[in-house]
Amino acid sequence: MKIKFLTKNFFRPRPSEFISVQTDNFLRKLKPRPFFTEYIEQVFRKNVEPNVSQNCLTLSVLTDTHEKAVASSSYYGLNGVRHIIEANKACDSLPVDYNIHLGDLIDGSDKPEISRGLLQFTMENYQNSQRPFYVLEGNHDENDKYDEHKFITSASFRRDDYYNLVTKHDFEQPEIKRLSLGSIVAWIDKGDIRVIFLNTSDIPYILNGGTKKYDFKKVRGIREQQIEDLISILEKTIDKHVVVFGHANLISQSGRSAKPSQGEFLKFTSDGL
């Protein structure tokens, strides 16, 4: 009886692994809805195209899709995946220069293997699209919401999971520039426009007894190395209009330090602090 019990449990996949496979199978069946892609194309042709020229930098920008392995009538859940698929499909036939995502690809509340699967599938969609892309890290993309609510004894994402699943593919494209292989500050140029990408969720990954020492959802941070890279890039930026993209705002419209809502804040940190 004991041998039978061990064998049964050894070959039976854990429920989360089964759900992960089922989710992946479902995602692969998702197709862009024609009425939605046609709507995007019509809005672009009517409202955008008449006001731009070949010298303009034209971006498709999404943010906070909060993908999650549940059906939802809101913007979150599997709808988040569908919105990315549809936006990328529409932009394949439009004169768009780059597809940009400003972070929180995932909701960060699924089991880690499911969240990794969502990130992997989404990045495959960006890679298969006709336009170069850049995906920024958001405050939910390290799966910290799951860690917080499940009270697990170790971090659900390994240290380099997000980099290997997402950021690495950003930098595989020749259109995306950075100062060195170790830099995560990136930029793109077109004409007299320069867009700089900062990781405003760059919080040191420190473990305290196997658990993360911070609440990633409520803190935005930029490490010292990013600040140094940003300074170097700006010093070499001459006669260009500069736009900085991140998941959190650096400054408000009035030019003051930004104060994100809901108790969230942006801080600057030195490596290891």
Side-chain angles (χ1 to χ4, degrees):
M1 290 294 292
K2 184 177 293 186
I3 295 176
K4 181 179 180 181
F5 174 78
L6 290 173
T7 304
K8 182 178 180 180
N9 281 274
F10 181 82
F11 288 105
R12 176 183 292 176
R14 290 179 295 174
S16 58
E17 293 175 343
F18 174 76
I19 294 171
S20 181
V21 171
Q22 293 297 98
T23 301
D24 186 69
N25 290 337
F26 178 82
L27 291 173
R28 308 260 168 213
K29 296 177 182 178
L30 281 179
K31 304 296 181 183
R33 296 166 294 184
F35 78 88
F36 202 86
T37 55
E38 289 172 6
Y39 171 77
I40 296 174
E41 293 173 9
Q42 290 172 4
V43 170
F44 184 93
R45 301 293 186 191
K46 180 180 179 180
N47 299 328
V48 179
E49 197 165 33
N51 299 305
V52 300
S53 66
Q54 290 184 346
N55 296 326
C56 293
L57 175 65
T58 307
L59 306 176
S60 167
V61 181
L62 296 176
T63 187
D64 292 85
T65 43
H66 281 258
E67 300 169 2
K68 184 173 171 59
V70 295
S72 173
S73 59
S74 72
Y75 293 112
Y76 290 0
L78 290 174
N79 276 341
V81 187
R82 191 189 295 273
H83 292 157
I84 292 173
I85 293 172
E86 292 168 342
N88 287 348
K89 176 63 176 179
C91 290
D92 282 348
S93 60
L94 296 173
V96 172
D97 293 306
Y98 292 88
N99 290 331
I100 307 298
H101 196 292
L102 298 184
D104 280 359
L105 272 176
I106 60 173
D107 188 62
S109 57
D110 280 319
K111 293 190 176 182
E113 54 268 39
I114 296 175
S115 290
R116 292 190 196 101
L118 288 168
L119 290 174
Q120 180 177 350
F121 175 83
T122 304
M123 292 308 297
E124 287 176 2
N125 187 264
Y126 275 105
Q127 290 175 290
N128 292 331
S129 64
Q130 302 300 312
R131 305 288 176 242
F133 60 86
Y134 197 88
V135 178
L136 283 151
E137 183 171 352
N139 57 297
H140 289 281
D141 287 324
E142 290 274 4
N143 219 46
D144 289 63
K145 188 187 293 187
Y146 175 84
D147 294 353
E148 177 188 10
H149 291 296
K150 296 300 181 182
F151 301 103
I152 58 177
T153 58
S154 62
S156 60
F157 265 32
R158 296 178 293 269
R159 185 181 300 272
D160 295 325
D161 275 355
Y162 180 83
Y163 180 87
N164 289 327
L165 289 166
V166 179
T167 307
K168 179 178 72 173
H169 301 301
D170 289 337
F171 291 122
E172 288 173 347
Q173 304 166 98
E175 297 88 351
I176 306 301
K177 304 173 185 178
R178 58 175 169 172
L179 293 176
S180 65
L181 291 177
S183 175
I184 60 172
V185 180
W187 76 90
I188 56 176
D189 287 327
K190 184 175 181 182
D192 63 351
I193 300 174
R194 171 163 289 179
V195 178
I196 299 175
F197 301 106
L198 285 177
N199 178 7
T200 57
S201 296
D202 189 21
I203 309 299
Y205 193 119
I206 302 174
L207 297 181
N208 180 19
T211 61
K212 294 178 183 175
K213 293 179 65 174
Y214 54 87
D215 183 350
F216 206 49
K217 301 191 311 306
K218 295 296 180 184
V219 177
R220 310 289 194 266
I222 295 177
R223 296 199 214 191
E224 184 177 357
Q225 184 59 56
Q226 284 204 82
I227 299 174
E228 293 177 358
D229 289 349
L230 177 61
I231 292 171
S232 297
I233 294 168
L234 291 176
E235 286 178 340
K236 299 175 183 178
T237 302
I238 302 174
D239 295 331
K240 287 185 180 293
H241 301 285
V242 177
V243 180
V244 179
F245 276 164
H247 187 65
N249 294 325
L250 291 179
I251 59 175
S252 66
Q253 291 182 347
S254 64
R256 297 184 178 184
S257 296
K259 296 180 180 178
S261 61
Q262 298 179 352
E264 299 165 349
F265 61 94
L266 179 68
K267 69 176 182 179
F268 298 91
T269 68
S270 297
D271 288 338
L273 295 181

